Amino acid sequence: MKQENALSRRSRQPELINPSRRTLLLGSAGAMAAVSLLGFTPLSKADEPKSLPDYAAWKDRNALIVHSANTMETHRGAIGTGVITPSEKLFVRNNLPAPPASVTEDPDAWEVRIEGVNKPATLTLAELKTLRVTTVASVLQCSGNGRAFFAHGAGGTQWSVGAAGCVMWTGVPLKDVVEALGGPVDGARYITSTGGEALPDGLDPKTLVVERSIPVKAMDSALLAWAMNDTPLTLTHGGPLRMVVPGYYGVNNVKYVKTVALTENQTEAKIQASGYRIRDVGVKGAPDQPSMWEMNVKSWVTAPLKSGQSGRNMIYGVAFGGTVSLEKIEVSTDGGKSWSPARFLGPDLGPYAWRPFVMAVDLVDGEYRIVSRATDVKGNTQPENRTENERGYGHNGWSDHGVTVTIS
Ligand SMILES: Nc1nc2c(c(=O)[nH]1)N[C@H]1C(S)=C(S)[C@@H](COP(=O)(O)O)O[C@H]1N2
Ligand SMILES: [Mo]
């Protein structure tokens, strides 16, 4: 495949835009003001289509909103009716620049250090592949998915619903690795995973390193994954090897994992100690606040999104329970005044996967506020409203996630 750098693609971009938009892009502020007097809205910097960065150039550009070179989300309408999100459409989120592509050239040679076990060892991916293998479907979702709905201006990428997808992971259960190395040391309470990005010299590594600790009970489901959707794990998604913690927020799924340690305490890395902590608006992050670990019950509508024809309409969406299966999914076309049961679509791929859903409804001309509400088997139901918090994490309120559709 021909490689082009971000610069050459960028310089070609205006051609991809229609001529009037091009003028707007290139025009002076005065010209833009004149155009806006004529009734056009000038294209703001934020609307300018960005190209995919090189490490994610294989992605489906049309399925993604490119927020930045490190943050790309899936368009709400690009999630289809299948259970599995095609890799080309899956969101991407990097806190640091990805390692060089060379790390995925010889995946089997990748080494991971396992510590906090009775026989600490460095294992190659080739060795891991001979221990045991499992495949699990799970939702990968960023903690800040839904941040765009917060009114206080929560800092960070303004994700709508698309910082989430459901994919198949293949790898070795972490439990088997730990058992093969003599079991955990006494007093191990956390699993601490470290990402393999190179860190710049001269800065305290703790402020930058992607190192996350999760409760040791996650050992029951965690895996060291080398494949996603039946393909060797790409660099984009953490190849050659990634920690996968089904049911836990994205940040705990450490990419290019180079160390896994069973530890007594949580890491002091900033991303753990003060980052990814739920706290009131205006409050600084601190280790005593809840960490973004297990995901909550959530759903959203994926079609229709704007308009439809009068008569029979099919309302689609996705729903998941985090670490537990779903009990039911309901849909409302009147903004939550009345609810009807929707039907799950396709196979149930287990508690960590999402369930596409559909509801058939007859609609006459008018405007409809379509919302969905999931309930898990433990009886947790999505709340109507978001829980306000400084960084806009964990939003599962059904009201904000609705869509307004005109039927005519
Ligand atoms: N090593 C490493 N792992 C990481 C990150 C990172 O920047 N570096 N980002 C985390 C965050 S915040 C999220 S949401 C997910 C995103 O996974 P994806 O890019 O495969 O979609 O990876 C997580 N794992
Ligand atoms: Mo994230």
Side-chain angles (χ1 to χ4, degrees):
M1 208 173 86
K2 191 172 162 277
Q3 285 278 322
E4 22 171 25
N5 63 35
L7 209 66
S8 69
R9 271 199 305 277
R10 175 159 289 274
S11 63
R12 274 189 5 225
Q13 270 182 6
E15 269 112 60
L16 300 173
I17 302 164
N18 69 47
S20 61
R21 288 186 130 203
R22 181 178 182 176
T23 318
L24 292 175
L25 260 181
L26 304 175
S28 68
M32 287 176 109
V35 172
S36 96
L37 281 176
L38 289 170
F40 297 98
T41 315
L43 200 62
S44 74
K45 187 95 182 144
D47 298 329
E48 189 181 328
K50 295 191 183 81
S51 46
L52 293 166
D54 284 347
Y55 75 98
W58 57 276
K59 291 263 170 181
D60 177 356
R61 178 67 189 81
N62 293 325
L64 295 163
I65 302 163
V66 180
H67 292 287
S68 75
N70 285 333
T71 47
M72 290 149 254
E73 81 169 279
T74 315
H75 278 288
R76 194 193 272 251
I79 295 295
T81 55
V83 186
I84 297 300
T85 307
S87 304
E88 295 75 22
K89 299 184 178 186
L90 184 65
F91 83 103
V92 181
R93 194 307 188 219
N94 274 21
N95 299 59
L96 294 172
S102 55
V103 303
T104 49
E105 269 162 26
D106 183 8
D108 283 351
W110 181 263
E111 291 179 340
V112 60
R113 177 78 191 161
I114 313 290
E115 285 174 356
V117 290
N118 287 311
K119 290 182 269 173
T122 300
L123 301 174
T124 62
L125 177 44
E127 288 169 318
L128 288 178
K129 285 178 175 172
T130 64
L131 286 179
R132 196 164 100 90
V133 56
T134 185
T135 293
V136 61
S138 80
V139 173
L140 182 69
Q141 181 189 215
C142 184
S143 310
N145 197 29
R147 179 180 288 137
F149 301 116
F150 285 80
H152 70 278
T157 304
Q158 297 302 299
W159 307 111
S160 169
V161 297
C166 181
V167 293
M168 286 281 199
W169 304 104
T170 298
V172 57
L174 180 61
K175 212 177 190 163
D176 289 68
V177 180
V178 168
E179 272 163 23
L181 299 179
V185 291
D186 287 346
R189 294 191 299 150
Y190 297 97
I191 303 162
T192 300
S193 307
T194 315
E197 291 103 332
L199 302 174
D201 288 336
L203 286 170
D204 178 1
K206 290 265 179 259
T207 62
L208 289 171
V209 66
V210 176
E211 188 169 85
R212 286 288 298 177
S213 302
I214 53 169
V216 78
K217 68 168 188 216
M219 183 97 78
D220 291 341
S221 60
L223 62 153
L224 286 168
W226 55 77
M228 190 184 91
N229 291 348
D230 208 19
T231 304
L233 199 51
T234 55
L235 181 73
T236 327
H237 292 295
L241 189 68
R242 178 177 199 166
M243 173 62 70
V244 169
V245 193
Y248 281 56
Y249 284 101
V251 68
N252 304 292
N253 297 258
V254 173
K255 308 202 253 189
Y256 353 97
V257 65
K258 68 167 190 202
T259 307
V260 178
L262 300 183
T263 54
E264 190 183 336
N265 296 307
Q266 294 177 38
T267 169
E268 285 166 8
K270 188 168 171 247
I271 198 170
Q272 180 85 21
S274 59
Y276 296 85
R277 298 278 174 179
I278 291 265
R279 70 271 191 181
D280 289 345
V281 174
V283 174
K284 282 206 164 99
D288 62 344
Q289 300 151 353
S291 193
M292 295 310 288
W293 286 332
E294 287 160 294
M295 295 192 289
N296 52 25
V297 61
K298 187 166 177 178
S299 71
W300 57 86
V301 167
T302 56
L305 298 180
K306 284 199 177 90
S307 58
Q309 290 188 343
S310 61
R312 176 59 56 104
N313 276 264
M314 304 299 249
I315 297 170
Y316 292 94
V318 288
F320 54 99
T323 54
V324 289
S325 296
L326 289 179
E327 176 72 38
K328 62 174 177 180
I329 176 74
E330 300 160 289
V331 168
S332 169
T333 55
D334 57 10
K337 287 191 202 77
S338 62
W339 296 90
S340 305
R343 183 169 66 77
F344 291 125
L345 192 59
D348 181 351
L349 296 183
Y352 310 113
W354 70 23
R355 308 268 346 238
F357 64 81
V358 63
M359 189 179 87
V361 59
D362 291 316
L363 300 174
V364 296
D365 287 4
E367 202 180 79
Y368 296 85
R369 181 70 182 167
I370 306 179
V371 287
S372 64
R373 184 173 71 180
T375 301
D376 71 23
V377 289
K378 288 191 170 167
N380 300 302
T381 298
Q382 285 182 255
E384 175 172 359
N385 297 311
R386 58 181 180 262
T387 304
E388 300 295 347
N389 68 92
E390 173 65 15
R391 293 307 303 274
Y393 290 140
H395 189 353
N396 70 340
W398 55 255
S399 179
D400 282 348
H401 287 88
V403 288
T404 302
V405 176
T406 306
I407 298 294
S408 55

